[in-house]
Amino acid sequence: MPSNTPSTSNGPWDAKLQQFHGGQDWAHLDNFVEDFSVTTNAFGMPEAAKLAAIQSVEHGHHYPPADQEPAKSSLARFLWPEQFETEVDRLILGNGASELIDLVIRMAPEGTWKPGPFHTQYKEYERSARNNDYEMLSSDSADKANVVSLVNPCNPTGDYLDLPELKKWISENTLPGGYVLIDESMQPWHSPQFREHSLTTQREYVEDLYKTQGISVFVMHSWTKLWCCTGLRLGSVVCPTADHMRAIKKIQVPWSVNTVALAFLNAVVTDTVYLEKTWEMTPEWRQQMIDRLSQMFPTWEFHGRKFLSWIWVDTKSEEVAERAIDLAKKAGVPVRSGRPGYNLPTFIRLAVREPAKVNVLLDAWKAI
């Protein structure tokens, strides 16, 4: 069982069996306005891709393609616009990143597991490592591990390692023959140049690590945040070699990505207007939120890079954090508590949203 077992009401989550995750409160609110508890794109599902997903239901009486095509190649073109034909064999899709995280860790060498260097990170890696009987090392342990997992940019803390820092961390924390899982789900928010800052484009580095030290680097993505489609369950992993990809495919349940999700992905990767809007407005709206919150609550601390789709907030008080969470929920704009899952009760996480929706949240917080 995860060490940070939730201590508050978890709605549909079975606290004895499952790792807590946010995004559940909205369905139980009669006055729901906006979900600030999840780090999805403020612009919602892209319309053309949503239409493609809806239309795909017409083919719901057929099995989805077992090779995940053409959606997989379309995603490869998105990741590697010029080299996709030589890279696509390292790519595989999954039913959300969670499925792929679990599959990779099942394949990994036995022994020790270690998280990234940040205060906390997305807990699915820890959950899978515990379920597979790894010895858990702390992030500040001096020991190298057989399996390491780093979320970069880190959800929820907002910490971020540039490529030289990331490579240094991998070198200092991974045993020869080990597995490295780097979660870049929020990396595409970086800028139009996100590929230049991503491990997905570092093929020579990844190949060298594998050839010289036997270290296998997997780059994980959940695509449901960037394109606001969490209900579709859509993830991918870029493997160090095509052989690693085939090893995952061998143990993956057939047709794990459904027809609707594949149709959505195949269409959404070409929506450049949506991404340009995201890159332009997310930093602007995020800074506006921080400026307004700073005026209301001068003692609060705000964490995270400017391009991120959320703000990690330390209210400095458990009581204040709980009050903020309760008031937000009552106003139909739930936020994420740092208590369940992360065991950081003074923290809350706020998604970046358009100013009109932010007004509702801040009006509710005038009572704090």
Side-chain angles (χ1 to χ4, degrees):
M1 184 169 61
S3 59
N4 293 328
T5 301
S7 58
T8 59
S9 175
N10 300 320
W13 293 99
D14 186 331
K16 294 182 179 180
L17 302 176
Q18 295 176 303
Q19 173 62 50
F20 178 81
H21 194 288
Q24 301 290 314
D25 289 335
W26 71 273
H28 308 285
L29 300 178
D30 294 334
N31 61 337
F32 176 70
V33 176
E34 179 61 86
D35 194 352
F36 282 81
S37 75
V38 292
T39 56
T40 50
N41 198 314
F43 290 105
M45 292 181 73
E47 287 300 321
K50 179 164 65 174
L51 179 61
I54 293 170
Q55 292 175 338
S56 74
V57 175
E58 292 292 332
H59 303 289
H61 58 298
H62 296 296
Y63 283 102
D67 61 0
Q68 305 176 335
E69 294 291 359
K72 188 172 83 164
S73 289
S74 295
L75 179 60
R77 287 188 182 91
F78 175 78
L79 291 172
W80 305 283
E82 297 178 0
Q83 297 91 18
F84 76 92
E85 291 178 328
T86 60
E87 303 287 357
V88 66
D89 285 345
R90 296 195 294 134
L91 179 69
I92 189 168
L93 309 180
N95 189 266
S98 296
E99 180 199 21
L100 297 168
I101 292 166
D102 200 61
L103 290 174
V104 172
I105 289 182
R106 285 191 217 174
M107 289 170 28
E110 297 178 354
T112 53
W113 175 86
K114 188 175 185 179
F118 309 127
H119 196 188
T120 190
Q121 67 178 26
Y122 177 56
K123 290 292 184 177
E124 194 63 21
Y125 295 90
E126 179 180 341
R127 180 204 66 80
S128 184
R130 287 185 182 279
N131 283 351
N132 286 278
D133 299 322
Y134 281 86
E135 178 186 347
M136 314 301 286
L137 301 181
S138 64
S139 60
D140 57 0
S141 169
D143 294 333
K144 293 185 177 183
N146 301 102
V147 181
V148 299
S149 306
L150 188 155
V151 181
N152 192 53
C154 183
N155 194 350
T157 69
D159 292 295
Y160 180 65
L161 298 183
D162 293 313
L163 280 175
E165 299 172 301
L166 179 58
K167 292 176 180 179
K168 182 174 184 288
W169 183 86
I170 291 172
S171 175
E172 292 177 347
N173 290 277
T174 314
L175 287 168
Y179 269 33
V180 178
L181 285 73
I182 303 298
D183 190 320
E184 290 194 355
S185 296
M186 312 310 289
Q187 176 68 29
W189 297 80
H190 184 284
S191 66
Q193 294 77 40
F194 75 91
R195 297 173 185 86
E196 300 171 15
H197 301 268
S198 168
L199 266 184
T200 58
T201 58
Q202 300 294 303
R203 179 166 184 162
E204 290 185 8
Y205 163 76
V206 170
E207 286 182 342
D208 183 67
L209 264 187
Y210 185 60
K211 289 177 181 178
T212 61
Q213 300 183 51
I215 292 175
S216 302
V217 177
F218 298 83
V219 184
M220 322 294 299
H221 287 96
S222 167
W223 295 110
T224 60
K225 307 299 191 301
L226 180 66
W227 288 312
C228 200
C229 60
T230 53
L232 294 185
R233 312 308 309 133
L234 189 60
S236 68
V237 57
V238 178
C239 303
T241 69
D243 285 341
H244 286 83
M245 185 280 291
R246 285 189 282 269
I248 294 174
K249 181 181 284 189
K250 183 177 180 180
I251 62 173
Q252 185 181 40
V253 174
W255 311 294
S256 71
V257 187
N258 63 59
T259 297
V260 176
L262 290 172
F264 179 92
L265 177 61
N266 193 52
V268 79
V269 291
T270 63
D271 194 339
T272 56
V273 173
Y274 181 89
L275 287 179
E276 288 167 0
K277 184 168 57 174
T278 297
W279 291 321
E280 177 185 2
M281 297 307 302
T282 302
E284 182 176 326
W285 284 350
R286 187 179 191 277
Q287 189 57 53
Q288 288 178 10
M289 289 177 65
I290 291 175
D291 291 343
R292 296 180 66 183
L293 287 164
S294 297
Q295 292 180 353
M296 293 179 66
F297 309 106
T299 62
W300 289 13
E301 287 185 358
F302 307 96
H303 301 271
R305 293 291 184 99
K306 65 180 182 180
F307 63 84
L308 295 175
S309 62
W310 75 92
I311 308 167
W312 184 235
V313 183
D314 187 357
T315 68
K316 305 294 185 177
S317 165
E318 293 186 32
E319 183 179 339
V320 169
E322 287 297 326
R323 179 74 169 146
I325 293 161
D326 290 342
L327 288 170
K329 187 180 293 188
K330 289 177 181 178
V333 283
V335 302
R336 173 68 191 268
S337 169
R339 183 187 296 276
Y342 300 120
N343 197 29
L344 295 170
T346 69
F347 283 83
I348 54 178
R349 191 187 66 192
L350 316 176
V352 173
R353 293 292 184 255
E354 63 177 292
K357 302 293 178 61
V358 175
N359 289 341
V360 179
L361 176 64
L362 299 192
D363 283 346
W365 282 353
K366 289 178 181 177
I368 295 178

